[in-house]
Amino acid sequence: MKMMKAIQIPAKGVPMQLVEVPVPLPGRGQVLLRIEACGVCNGDSLTIKGAAPQYPRIPGHEVIGIVEELGAGSSLWNIGQRVGIGWHGGHDHVTGLTIDGGYAEYMVADEDGLTSIPDELSALEAAPLMCAGETTFSALKKSKARPGDLVAVLGIGGLGHLAIQYAKKAGFHTVAISRGNDKEQLARQLGAHHYINSEIENPAKALKALGGAKVILATAPNAKAISSLLGGLGADSELIIVAGSGEQLELSAMDFLKGPHTVRGSFTGHAKEIADAIHFSVLTDVRPIFEVFPLERASEAFERVMQATARFRPVLHISG
């Protein structure tokens, strides 16, 4: 029996462990992937903290791999093709939560949950686009903003550094919001036309001085910071939340009556939406900034995400 290395959560509340387990076999309509890279996302904490319906479980939902074997009836992909899979694993599964994910040398995936990865992207570049990239791209694509509109991005982390690039490339008047001055130069290099240091100025007032934002994309999971931005919206505009901490937002009825304003979340991650994000990223040269870790250091990579010290997306380099 062929064995593989994997990072596994043995049981609810038990830390992740490096183990050797049998390479899984693809079933009907499935493929076996030899994993090249897997991004490390805050969403992996659901599995690590005990939300999976059963254990043991292998986390990871920003997966890039090579089709190694086809299950019975599988016809959408060919052996040797490079593909990716994100949060939605097909057939109502969540990759790395209800099925085993990408913190491993191999994984089985439903063929309809996969997206083709073009040669223009390396596996390490493509992995963060499976979730962080697609999430921010789709939120902006489906927003009220149109080219020339003022769009603000709260947070310059794993999601935010991609959101700034997408906003600029889409033709938006782009504003980056973060604490301190240490990220200003990077924000401008990524495409921000303006930078707001929330430690020394009120972001809502600063946005109003610029004419009011059509869209504010909240990529930082800070409920207080998100709530404080509503006053920075222009007329008929929206605040879109793509990362949250579970804390209560501090909003009042008057916040909405001044608008009209919309506050909503955005979370997608199906194969078609990932394909759209990949196409736009290649077309406009949007790329993630990432740190590379071997599979054996997955715990360290995850801790950097949770402590917000990663620059800006840890990626596990597994093969290739």
Side-chain angles (χ1 to χ4, degrees), residues 15-313:
M16 63 176 76
Q17 298 176 4
L18 179 66
V19 298
E20 280 205 0
V21 295
V23 174
L25 299 174
R28 176 166 292 276
Q30 295 182 323
V31 303
L32 176 69
L33 301 181
R34 174 176 56 81
I35 300 174
E36 293 187 306
C38 184
V40 180
C41 177
N42 188 289
D44 297 336
S45 63
L46 292 174
T47 304
I48 293 165
K49 292 179 179 179
Q54 64 182 51
Y55 290 86
R57 179 62 72 221
I58 298 170
H61 62 271
E62 292 186 338
V63 188
I64 304 297
I66 303 296
V67 177
E68 186 103 335
E69 183 180 336
L70 303 178
S74 179
S75 59
L76 296 180
W77 306 97
N78 298 317
I79 290 175
Q81 278 189 277
R82 190 166 58 141
V83 295
I85 189 167
W87 182 261
H88 292 286
H91 298 280
D92 297 322
H93 279 298
V94 177
T95 311
L97 185 66
T98 65
I99 56 174
D100 283 337
Y103 287 24
E105 292 179 315
Y106 293 88
M107 73 170 282
V108 162
D110 289 312
E111 63 175 355
D112 57 356
L114 299 171
T115 302
S116 179
I117 304 300
D119 292 339
E120 290 90 341
L121 294 172
S122 71
L124 296 172
E125 290 173 327
L129 303 182
M130 296 298 100
C131 180
E134 185 280 328
T135 296
T136 52
F137 171 78
S138 292
L140 291 171
K141 181 182 178 183
K142 298 175 182 179
S143 75
K144 293 182 176 182
R146 296 297 178 264
D149 286 342
L150 189 72
V151 170
V153 177
L154 171 65
I156 309 176
L159 279 73
H161 87 284
L162 287 164
I164 294 169
Q165 293 180 71
Y166 287 132
K168 170 65 183 318
K169 300 289 187 177
F172 300 139
H173 188 180
T174 305
V175 182
I177 305 171
S178 189
R179 291 178 296 179
N181 290 320
D182 57 320
K183 291 184 179 179
E184 179 174 2
Q185 182 178 356
L186 173 65
R188 293 187 182 277
Q189 290 174 349
L190 293 172
H193 299 98
H194 302 278
Y195 180 82
I196 298 173
N197 177 356
S198 61
E199 289 183 343
I200 62 174
E201 56 185 324
N202 183 305
K205 290 182 178 179
L207 290 175
K208 277 296 189 182
L210 292 170
K214 188 69 173 181
V215 168
I216 298 174
L217 189 64
T219 73
N222 185 316
K224 186 174 181 180
I226 293 171
S227 302
S228 69
L229 290 175
L230 207 59
L233 291 171
D236 189 24
S237 52
E238 58 185 347
L239 190 158
I240 305 172
I241 301 170
V242 294
S245 63
E247 299 173 351
Q248 293 289 325
L249 296 177
E250 301 172 3
L251 305 175
S252 72
M254 287 303 299
D255 289 325
F256 296 91
L257 293 174
K258 295 173 184 177
H261 298 319
T262 300
V263 177
R264 66 178 179 88
S266 178
F267 189 75
T268 47
H270 294 282
K272 173 60 169 64
E273 294 158 332
I274 291 174
D276 290 343
I278 289 290
H279 177 70
F280 187 87
S281 299
V282 171
L283 188 67
T284 62
D285 199 31
V286 171
R287 297 292 187 274
I289 300 172
F290 54 88
E291 300 177 325
V292 181
F293 291 80
L295 180 63
E296 292 79 3
R297 292 172 58 196
S299 294
E300 179 186 346
F302 177 72
E303 285 305 314
R304 286 184 63 77
V305 169
M306 300 307 292
Q307 295 169 8
T309 57
R311 185 179 169 89
F312 285 96
R313 199 62 155 186

